[in-house]
Amino acid sequence: MTATSITLYLLPFILLILPKTDAFYLPGSYMHTYSQAEAIFAKVNSLTSIETELPFSYYSLPFCRPPDGIKKSAENLGELLMGDQIDNSPYRFRVNINESLYLCTTEPLTGADVKLLKERSRDLYQVNMMLDNLPVMRFTEQNGQFIQWTGFPIGYAPTGTDQYYIINHLKFKIFVHEYEGSNVEIITTGEEGLAVISETDKKKMSGYQIVGFEVTPCSFKRDPGYLSKLNMYEKIDPVFCPVEIGRSQPIKENERISFTYAVEFVKSDIKWPSRWDVYLKMNGAKIHWLSIMNSVMVILFLASIVFVIFLRTVRRDLAKYEELDKEAQAQMAEELSGWKLVVGDVFREPDHSKLLCVMVGDGVQILGMAVVTIVFAALGFMSPASRGMLLTGMIVLYLFLGIAAGYVGVRLWRTIKGGSDGWRSVAWYISCFFPGISFLILTCLNFILWGSKSTGALPISLFFTLFALWFCISVPLTLVGGLLGTRADPIDYPVRTNQIPREIPERKYPSWLLVLGAGTLPFGTLFIELFFILTSIWLGRFYYVFGFLLVVLLLLVTVCAEVSVVLTYMHLCVEDWRWWWKSFFASGSVALYVFLYSVNYLVFDLRSLSGPVSAILYLGYSLIMALAILLSTGTVGFLVSFTFVHYLFSSVKID
């Protein structure tokens, strides 16, 4: 019997012993069905603004509160780091029942309330509401086109006036898909161990699924004396939005504001697994493809240069050099110029070798985290439906990849030094270099957020949690990786190093100019995708084109490797044997251009960003991003250049 036939023969018996299971849709949350007239309550997240980037709690403003009190939802590590604060809300919906309801009437607004409401309205703060894990969506018309937004504003001021009006009436439209259960028969095990086929309980599984959540916000002034006599959720007359300015609810001192809402349920053919498609609809696909094609052209250009170096220059020079006898080689050595003359210095220990090992180790850790995260996201494991999952996954991966960082950094240290002395300090510095700088920047930013009373400020308990994860997981694993690096064989140099270093010829221009200029090529493959990423982070847009991002990452790694090899060979050809750091920064200099582009984005694309606090937060986070890019791309360039130099000089026979 073949393996396939054996598998098919055993499959029924395997199915018999498997327990009954429920399947779920991987990219989103668990599917939930609701029965007719079942009550569903919306939740509210932190108030956010593209003007300040400082999130605040929803209940920091005089809004209606739930009758049973405010209850915070459980949040993962990523949500806490992003400043999310998810609370319950008094907005109640009953499935398939269209109604207009009264919510509450506030106490007379104080001067502080009016000032805060006007300030939040002027800074374009949005209310982020969600139902069954779906963010509320609204549509606005600009220049004849409908633009999709998540959330709705707190208030507004008509053009040309200083009077602010509060959004106190919400007209919701909830799209539901009728689900009738599944006709799939499930094989399970009976009480006596026999195979029993039972159908899915349709009464339990059938119902209605939430597949869309839209809102039309408006301001409408009502008689607070009449409405205050009503109880929460009592029916009221419907309001037709939008209304005239004269009938809108102004934000004034001693004014009592009545909050109402209406809900309309609409049956939809959209199925539950496709309900996020409207949020993740990709715009500018042609721009992504043009960016990729541009990167491919750069790669082909650099690949042709590397091809010429290997097949024409290196191979030809090696063939000539090896065909000569010893006397001819000695005579030729006086006339030679180029990389062959630095054979006795090319593997000389570089300056600040410990720092180089530390940065390469951290680069391996960051690059591994980025690759694995983007691959999993491209496969659908990290959906926006699971808020904070992407950031949580990145942190967990970074912690456990400390073992790889320690191994690579310590093994490189052994290779440079020829022994294991001092490996513990190298592993310790690797575990503290990038996290330490990031913690220092985040702590400074956190003091600013604390001073602004923003929900984006990390609580002290979370700080201790992060420190515990760092010192209890990342640091020990890095030391374990370093220990493994000491037991691995060091990389043997193919040539001996002379005792006296060779003098490097003077050049007309500094070699570092060429190194810094080399970063423009990797940046050319990245900057278009960088625009979409920055827009997603700072303008509140969803980013879910991880397939494109994975392709761009692979292209970026390829370009960094090629640029570094070409620059290393060019420096060796002019008898400059100090290639170690230059190969690192040849590709790592792309981080400089990323940071400058971030500053350009702040000045020209985030012109609405108000206040020095917001600008400091933006620049702080951009600095951490640039440092991570420097370490990861620099590591790619250095490791590939090291391999290239090792291969190049292993072909030279030295007596």
Side-chain angles (χ1 to χ4, degrees), residues 47 55 102 105 277 307 360 387 423 505 542 567 570 619 627 632:
L47 305 173
Y102 165 75
T105 300
D277 290 355
F307 181 80
V360 169
R387 270 171 298 276
W423 72 269
F542 283 106
L567 263 292
M570 291 176 63
L619 293 175
L627 177 61
S632 54

Side-chain angles (χ1 to χ4, degrees), residues 171-314:
K171 185 177 181 181
F172 295 101
K173 184 180 290 186
I174 301 175
F175 296 88
V176 294
H177 177 75
E178 189 171 1
Y179 182 72
E180 298 180 352
S182 173
N183 293 325
V184 178
E185 295 181 343
I186 301 175
I187 299 177
T188 184
T189 307
E191 294 179 355
E192 299 180 1
L194 301 176
V196 176
I197 299 177
S198 61
E199 294 185 355
T200 306
D201 186 1
K202 289 187 178 182
K203 292 183 180 179
K204 180 180 178 181
M205 294 296 295
S206 61
Y208 298 93
Q209 301 167 342
I210 308 296
V211 295
F213 188 33
E214 296 179 5
V215 67
T216 302
C218 65
S219 180
F220 185 71
K221 182 175 176 58
R222 293 179 180 268
D223 180 11
Y226 166 73
L227 289 181
S228 60
K229 298 177 182 179
L230 301 178
N231 295 320
M232 186 177 286
Y233 306 128
E234 284 197 28
K235 292 187 178 181
I236 58 172
D237 296 331
V239 176
F240 298 96
C241 297
V243 298
E244 299 84 0
I245 291 295
R247 301 179 62 189
S248 300
Q249 175 63 59
I251 301 176
K252 293 182 179 179
E253 194 170 350
N254 297 322
E255 191 85 10
R256 300 181 68 190
I257 300 175
S258 297
F259 288 89
T260 57
Y261 69 100
V263 58
E264 177 187 2
F265 283 85
V266 180
K267 290 190 176 181
S268 173
D269 293 330
I270 299 175
K271 295 186 178 179
W272 191 87
S274 303
R275 66 180 191 158
W276 274 88
D277 290 355
V278 65
Y279 297 90
L280 307 179
K281 185 179 180 181
M282 183 182 64
N283 296 319
K286 291 184 179 179
I287 298 177
H288 289 280
W289 283 116
L290 288 174
S291 171
I292 290 175
M293 292 304 298
N294 170 65
S295 304
V296 170
M297 296 302 294
V298 173
I299 286 176
L300 292 178
F301 171 71
L302 293 173
S304 63
I305 297 178
V306 175
F307 181 80
V308 170
I309 290 174
F310 271 103
L311 293 188
R312 294 189 58 185
T313 308
V314 177

Side-chain angles (χ1 to χ4, degrees), residues 93-137:
F93 311 106
R94 293 187 293 174
V95 177
N96 283 337
I97 297 180
N98 301 334
E99 51 191 355
S100 296
L101 301 175
Y102 165 75
L103 207 55
C104 77
T105 300
T106 66
E107 297 294 327
L109 295 180
T110 64
D113 293 333
V114 171
K115 181 181 178 181
L116 191 59
L117 282 171
K118 287 184 176 181
E119 183 180 331
R120 296 288 185 263
S121 300
R122 183 175 59 252
D123 291 337
L124 303 181
Y125 270 87
Q126 302 277 317
V127 176
N128 299 297
M129 189 177 293
M130 63 196 74
L131 181 68
D132 193 36
N133 208 35
L134 274 183
V136 69
M137 182 188 300

Side-chain angles (χ1 to χ4, degrees), residues 362-379:
D362 277 330
V364 169
Q365 193 172 6
I366 296 170
L367 183 64
M369 174 197 70
V371 171
V372 175
T373 301
I374 294 174
V375 168
F376 272 83
L379 294 176

